[in-house]
Amino acid sequence: MKNSRNLLLTILGLSFLGFADATFLAIKHYTGAPIPCSFLDGCDTVTSSIYSTVAGIPVALLGSLFYLAVFVLVLFYLQEQRKWVVNTLWFLSLLAFIASLVFVYLQGFVIGSWCQYCLVSALTSTLIFVLATVFARRVSTKSFVA
């Protein structure tokens, strides 16, 4: 199961990267500081749009919580190897992937601007979803402790 462990470690690394990215945006949201964009010019436009919050909660903060949950779940699975962790990880990553599709669509077709940090998050959550799906399939035949 070394390959499965490598998948989990990759997910762990991606969740750390995603957490740093989303937390940076959440901090910028709460401080009101401008967001530097090095190769795209729409970061502030996207992050200040009406789509940047859900029920008054910044999307970036929700992203931070998602990545933190993934990080904790992977660490827990590495210790306990419980099936509910695999299922939870996969389900959360599916929700994040769907949200990423929606937010990329909104950037490109509704807002008309691109945020490099948002695109990094979309890529990161997509990779986590793909790897979580591969991992869940690999371990689905393995015996688990409930």
Side-chain angles (χ1 to χ4, degrees):
M1 290 312 260
K2 183 178 178 170
N3 287 338
S4 292
R5 182 173 172 79
N6 288 340
L7 276 175
L8 287 174
L9 293 176
T10 302
I11 293 171
L12 197 66
L14 288 168
S15 66
F16 181 80
L17 173 67
F19 179 79
D21 179 59
T23 301
F24 170 77
L25 289 177
I27 290 168
K28 293 294 187 180
H29 173 87
Y30 285 112
T31 62
I35 300 170
C37 279
S38 58
F39 63 91
L40 296 172
D41 61 1
C43 293
D44 283 324
T45 303
V46 171
T47 59
S48 64
S49 76
I50 62 170
Y51 304 103
S52 66
T53 60
V54 174
I57 302 169
V59 170
L61 180 59
L62 296 174
S64 293
L65 294 173
F66 161 71
Y67 291 117
L68 180 61
V70 168
F71 192 86
V72 169
L73 285 168
V74 170
L75 288 178
F76 185 77
Y77 183 82
L78 287 169
Q79 291 295 313
E80 301 294 327
Q81 297 186 357
R82 303 289 180 139
K83 185 175 183 175
W84 69 266
V85 176
V86 175
N87 294 337
T88 303
L89 175 64
W90 182 82
F91 183 72
L92 286 177
S93 70
L94 172 64
L95 292 178
F97 173 65
I98 292 168
S100 291
L101 290 176
V102 169
F103 290 125
V104 167
Y105 170 82
L106 288 170
Q107 285 181 80
F109 298 103
V110 177
I111 302 168
S113 290
W114 296 99
C115 168
Q116 66 197 34
Y117 304 99
C118 306
L119 294 174
V120 166
S121 185
L123 177 62
T124 304
S125 64
T126 299
L127 291 172
I128 288 172
F129 171 66
V130 169
L131 295 176
T133 300
V134 170
F135 178 71
R137 287 185 179 195
R138 280 189 183 174
V139 299
S140 66
T141 58
K142 181 181 172 188
S143 296
F144 285 96
V145 178

